[in-house]
Amino acid sequence: MPARTTSTPELVVEKQSAKTAPPPMYRVILLNDDYTPMEFVVHVLQKFFGKGQEEAMRIMLQVHHEGKGVCGVYPHDIAASRIAQVSQHARARQHPLQCVMEPASDE
């Protein structure tokens, strides 16, 4: 009996380079109010945004004089999480400190 040869088609897998775009980034911004102590704002900047004493003071003064200050730029989920943490921390200490985010598309 002759040897049976089976011809199997070759499977060619082409590797496609999938380039993923970086996630959209958002600025987290502290807003000024007339009631939250400056020391508390510095504390928040250090605790939740990892700022050093000097940078926290600079941002706090910007919030105080200009009405708002950028705490950092993060992907949406991280920005939303930081805002929630700051809000919860401020409310627990009876401070009306507000934190918002805006797209950082122009950076």
Side-chain angles (χ1 to χ4, degrees):
M1 184 177 260
R4 195 172 189 191
T5 57
T6 326
S7 173
T8 54
E10 286 186 34
L11 181 60
V12 177
V13 178
E14 290 184 26
K15 186 177 180 180
Q16 295 180 349
S17 61
K19 292 186 178 181
T20 57
M25 302 298 276
Y26 293 82
R27 284 185 204 90
V28 176
I29 300 169
L30 278 178
L31 303 177
N32 190 36
D33 64 71
D34 293 332
Y35 303 101
T36 303
M38 292 179 178
E39 297 80 19
F40 184 76
V41 175
V42 170
H43 163 75
V44 163
L45 289 163
Q46 291 176 316
K47 180 176 176 78
F48 296 104
F49 299 99
K51 305 300 182 188
Q53 180 70 25
E54 281 187 29
E55 188 175 9
M57 288 291 290
R58 183 188 58 75
I59 295 169
M60 177 275 296
L61 288 172
Q62 182 181 21
V63 170
H64 182 69
H65 293 294
E66 298 176 22
K68 63 182 183 177
V70 177
C71 305
V73 180
Y74 308 95
H76 186 274
D77 290 348
I78 294 173
S81 176
R82 299 277 167 95
I83 290 169
Q85 291 171 335
V86 168
S87 295
Q88 182 180 11
H89 187 71
R91 299 299 167 269
R93 284 143 188 89
Q94 300 178 346
H95 296 302
L97 184 64
Q98 291 186 20
C99 201
V100 296
M101 76 171 120
E102 68 181 25
S105 58
D106 59 333
E107 287 186 7

